[in-house]
Amino acid sequence: MKKVVLAYSGGLDTSCAIKWLQDKGYEVIAVIADVGQGENFEAVKERALKTGAGRVHVLNLQKEFVTDYVFPAIKANAIYENKYLLATALSRPIIAKHQVKIAHQEKATAVAHGCTGKGNDQVRFETTIRLLDPKLEHIAPVRVWEFKTREEEIDYAKKHNIPVNVTKKSPYSIDKNLYGRSIECGVLEDPWAEPPEEIYDMTVSPEKAPNKPPYLELDFENGLPVAIDGAAYLPVELIHKLNEIGGANAVGRVDTIENRLVGIKSREIYENPAAMILYIAHQEIESLVLDRETLHYKQLISPKYAEMIYYGLWETPLKHQLDAYINKTQENVTGTVRL
Ligand code: ARG
């Protein structure tokens, strides 16, 4: 039997995809990537097995996500269209990389994801995987399967005893990881509509934030955050802590109209407290320690670097070359920022 490695989230789409891929003659290996989305991964694994996955790999990628994906973005001051700090975009190349690794381990010939044909994520998965192993076959079940509506998909799930979460489906499409939360669809598609308070999960509204501003001292070493108020933090814990502090103080909400890679304009809401704090703090320390010409040149590179993350070009030669340049600029970015 041919094997396919599926990036599995536990949602309806990827659950139906397991069964659908089996019907196409594949043994399905599910990969569950923990990038800090805070799921019950044991339950997600159970669901994959119950739905028919031949094997399930649960990977805790949180630390690698922060050190190898988030940290380079911080050093680059990467922000897409001046608004988006790229939490979702950064998580795709790491998931894709591990899919390829598992595909090699399992001697699989194909990979699959649960993305639709409307968004950036399909491109990010497929581009990264093609760059890492051009021989793997790509399958995007949601893009090609026969279901025309969500109801038809749910019927299919019920017919095949695929556990469907019976709770009323939220009208929003949400992607979450350690570095931020992306919310789209529903009423948000009307750019005139103010985002309802119910969509937020990591941040309080400014009205609910304390009136007294808290102070925060962040230590950087070679461009990377290492301590908060003098106490050393490991990378994952540091992001958690800054999410907590920022979220409680209404820091990190973003409301934007974004140009997707596929040519669609899209209303997006983001909440990313830690990312916002780090983006600001890192630029502040750079303004003090970088020489004028380096600072100006780096400011030209930042939007390009952000665009490459957004477009799924993480594993390209140019992006790796830019990393070498950016790392060189960080040699003296060491010191404390007070916010
Ligand atoms: N527009 C953002 C991006 O392209 C967020 C995508 C969020 N994905 C989702 N399935 N809701 O990175």
Side-chain angles (χ1 to χ4, degrees):
M1 229 175 159
K2 290 185 291 182
K3 284 187 187 172
V4 60
V5 176
L6 169 70
Y8 182 72
S9 71
L12 182 66
D13 287 343
T14 48
S15 295
C16 287
I18 291 180
K19 181 74 195 130
W20 188 90
L21 286 162
Q22 276 184 320
D23 286 347
K24 298 282 180 254
Y26 289 90
E27 178 184 352
V28 180
I29 314 295
V31 172
I32 300 167
D34 175 0
V35 283
Q37 65 270 49
E39 288 274 348
N40 177 349
F41 291 102
E42 265 316 300
V44 176
K45 179 178 176 178
E46 268 318 296
R47 195 171 312 150
L49 289 169
K50 266 205 196 108
T51 310
R55 215 197 311 274
V56 181
H57 297 256
V58 181
L59 310 175
N60 182 343
L61 305 181
Q62 290 195 34
K63 178 163 177 268
E64 185 186 346
F65 178 50
V66 176
T67 55
D68 293 2
Y69 294 78
V70 167
F71 278 179
I74 292 169
K75 287 190 274 190
N77 301 321
I79 191 163
Y80 182 69
E81 295 185 340
N82 273 317
K83 285 288 196 71
Y84 174 31
L85 290 166
L86 299 159
T88 296
L90 284 165
S91 74
R92 299 322 186 194
I94 183 175
I95 298 171
K97 182 175 95 186
H98 284 274
Q99 254 182 297
V100 171
K101 229 166 132 180
I102 302 266
H104 293 166
Q105 266 174 37
E106 295 273 0
K107 303 208 178 347
T109 55
V111 285
H113 59 67
C115 306
T116 69
K118 292 186 292 187
N120 302 306
D121 290 331
Q122 54 175 343
V123 183
R124 296 171 184 148
F125 278 116
E126 290 171 36
T127 305
T128 306
I129 290 167
R130 266 181 228 281
L131 283 158
L132 295 176
D133 181 354
K135 287 199 204 67
L136 287 166
E137 178 198 1
H138 289 255
I139 313 172
V142 179
R143 235 163 36 199
V144 293
W145 64 26
E146 53 281 16
F147 320 126
K148 297 271 179 300
T149 62
R150 198 156 179 93
E151 286 64 45
E152 283 178 35
E153 194 185 338
I154 291 172
D155 286 345
Y156 176 87
K158 287 193 175 140
K159 200 169 113 204
H160 293 97
N161 290 322
I162 298 168
V164 184
N165 282 341
V166 275
T167 48
K168 194 167 123 263
K169 187 179 147 51
S170 134
Y172 308 108
S173 165
I174 296 169
D175 179 69
K176 183 173 191 237
N177 63 48
L178 193 61
Y179 203 49
R181 212 166 149 264
S182 309
I183 311 125
E184 44 193 38
C185 301
V187 67
L188 303 173
E189 292 194 342
D190 173 1
W192 197 249
E194 184 176 341
E197 197 51 36
E198 63 178 25
I199 67 168
Y200 296 107
D201 184 45
M202 301 174 80
T203 54
V204 301
S205 69
E207 291 91 332
K208 296 247 169 70
N211 287 328
K212 204 168 145 285
Y215 285 81
L216 195 62
E217 286 185 10
L218 269 178
D219 290 354
F220 284 86
E221 248 173 58
N222 304 119
L224 294 180
V226 293
I228 303 171
D229 292 330
Y233 276 81
L234 293 170
V236 171
E237 286 69 26
L238 181 126
I239 303 293
H240 276 303
K241 184 72 183 167
L242 293 179
N243 276 333
E244 213 175 276
I245 298 169
N249 288 281
V251 172
R253 289 187 177 183
V254 174
D255 181 345
T256 184
I257 305 289
E258 176 175 296
N259 288 291
R260 285 190 188 170
L261 173 55
V262 294
I264 299 172
K265 278 191 191 289
S266 159
R267 170 76 170 295
E268 304 280 336
I269 308 295
Y270 299 111
E271 44 180 356
N272 42 25
M276 191 62 78
I277 291 170
L278 289 165
Y279 172 70
I280 292 168
H282 184 261
Q283 280 182 302
E284 293 302 326
I285 187 166
E286 279 194 335
S287 74
L288 188 69
V289 304
L290 293 187
D291 64 280
R292 183 187 64 209
E293 294 308 313
T294 302
L295 184 75
H296 290 182
Y297 195 75
K298 194 161 177 283
Q299 284 172 340
L300 298 176
I301 300 301
S302 290
K304 179 66 184 174
Y305 193 91
E307 189 184 76
M308 293 189 85
I309 296 172
Y310 191 85
Y311 289 178
L313 301 175
W314 188 262
E315 295 291 354
T316 56
L318 176 57
K319 190 262 168 194
H320 292 307
Q321 292 149 16
L322 292 179
D323 279 327
Y325 164 72
I326 290 163
N327 283 333
K328 182 77 186 160
T329 65
Q330 301 299 293
E331 285 176 351
N332 292 319
V333 185
T334 297
T336 305
V337 181
R338 186 170 64 229
L339 299 164

